Amino acid sequence: MIKIDDNFFIGDGNFTVIAGPCAVESYEQTDKIGSFLNKLGVRILRGGAYKPRTNPDSFQGLGLDGLKILHEIGQKYGLKIISEIMDIRDIDKACSYVDIFQIGSRNMQNFSLLKEIGRTKKPIMLKRGMSATIKEWIMAAEYIKSSGNKDIILCERGIRTFEDYTRNTLDLMSVPIIKDLTEYPVFVDPSHGTGRRELILPATKASKALGADGIMVEIHPNPEDALSDGFQSLNFMEFENLFNVINDYSF
Ligand code: PEP
Ligand code: MN
């Protein structure tokens, strides 16, 4: 169980929904999302400020300015902030703006980053490497732990297989396996895990049924205008529907 604040824990048996844009694009975009999530009762806002893009010419994120926007919106609407850090040099600065650090799929085995982030006192979400076995993923978490930080959340986000109908192959069996092998809370990212809007609801239901501690989903006020991952982002109406369905869904 991980303490987020005095009356908010992850891995306490409740299903936690984290939502937000793939990338922080502007104050206005983040403000719209923050206001919407607050009304709905979502408590953690995600948003990328440092984006690991395949193409160097694609939008790379707003960097430190993006973290400042997230922090301001978090304060305004009472939301906790999770954001990805890719570079050791950004860790200290980011500590003032984020509540949970995210290590992305592409950096799951960046051992120097893992060791350094493990020296902080904030919870860390470690996403599964797209080519990582479950054992390699757990060993990556051990690197963080060996630096002193045990507040680790593992996040299944799909792996590369020959199947290309979905962006990645969401390996949902990792949820009960991780539960069996470790004490860490497990999340599922159905957005990157499927890359298809219409699969996010069924993937979320399955995640909950398998005992996941929560999901992290990409949303955008206008997905068609998003600077990254618009094709897999839910609009507000779609997300509200997902949120209501999942809250009513019990096993
Ligand atoms: C993200 O969640 O913003 C992201 C880039 O995901 P992943 O590292 O899983 O590709
Ligand atoms: Mn994304």
Side-chain angles (χ1 to χ4, degrees), residues 13-26:
N14 289 308
F15 191 78
T16 303
V17 177
I18 301 176
C22 179
V24 176
E25 298 170 359
S26 66

Side-chain angles (χ1 to χ4, degrees), residues 56-223:
D57 294 330
S58 301
F59 177 59
Q60 301 286 304
L62 298 180
L64 191 59
D65 288 341
L67 292 184
K68 289 181 180 167
I69 293 173
L70 283 167
H71 180 68
E72 214 172 314
I73 299 300
Q75 297 286 107
K76 185 169 174 187
Y77 297 108
L79 299 163
K80 300 291 178 190
I81 300 299
I82 177 168
S83 199
E84 175 170 356
I85 297 299
M86 299 198 294
D87 191 320
I88 286 172
R89 291 167 295 185
D90 297 319
I91 296 175
D92 283 349
K93 284 172 270 170
C95 269
S96 326
Y97 304 112
V98 309
D99 301 291
I100 305 171
F101 283 118
Q102 177 176 323
I103 298 293
S105 186
R106 292 156 190 81
N107 274 315
M108 190 207 80
Q109 282 185 316
N110 181 338
F111 298 121
S112 5
L113 180 62
L114 299 178
K115 283 192 253 183
E116 205 57 33
I117 206 105
R119 297 204 174 96
T120 67
K121 304 261 179 295
K122 303 208 184 244
I124 297 156
M125 176 182 276
L126 178 65
K127 298 191 84 176
R128 182 175 180 178
M130 60 185 80
S131 308
T133 65
I134 290 172
K135 286 199 173 152
E136 287 163 345
W137 187 18
I138 294 172
M139 290 318 288
E142 290 304 301
Y143 266 89
I144 299 175
K145 197 168 128 198
S146 68
S147 291
N149 192 332
K150 294 192 190 87
D151 289 340
I152 302 164
I153 303 158
L154 297 178
C155 180
E156 167 62 49
R157 49 79 71 208
I159 50 175
R160 286 262 172 100
T161 68
F162 60 83
E163 178 55 69
D164 61 1
Y165 185 83
T166 50
R167 181 177 179 182
N168 291 285
T169 298
L170 190 58
D171 180 17
L172 283 171
M173 278 310 115
S174 70
V175 172
I177 295 171
I178 291 287
K179 289 271 160 201
D180 196 34
L181 297 180
T182 80
E183 303 279 309
Y184 300 126
V186 189
F187 271 57
V188 173
D189 171 350
S191 304
H192 295 91
T194 68
R196 301 180 77 104
R197 266 185 215 123
E198 74 279 13
L199 296 179
I200 292 176
L201 180 59
T204 299
K205 286 180 179 170
S207 303
K208 195 170 180 188
L210 287 163
D213 295 284
I215 50 160
M216 183 162 78
V217 190
E218 289 185 338
I219 65 170
H220 195 282
N222 302 102

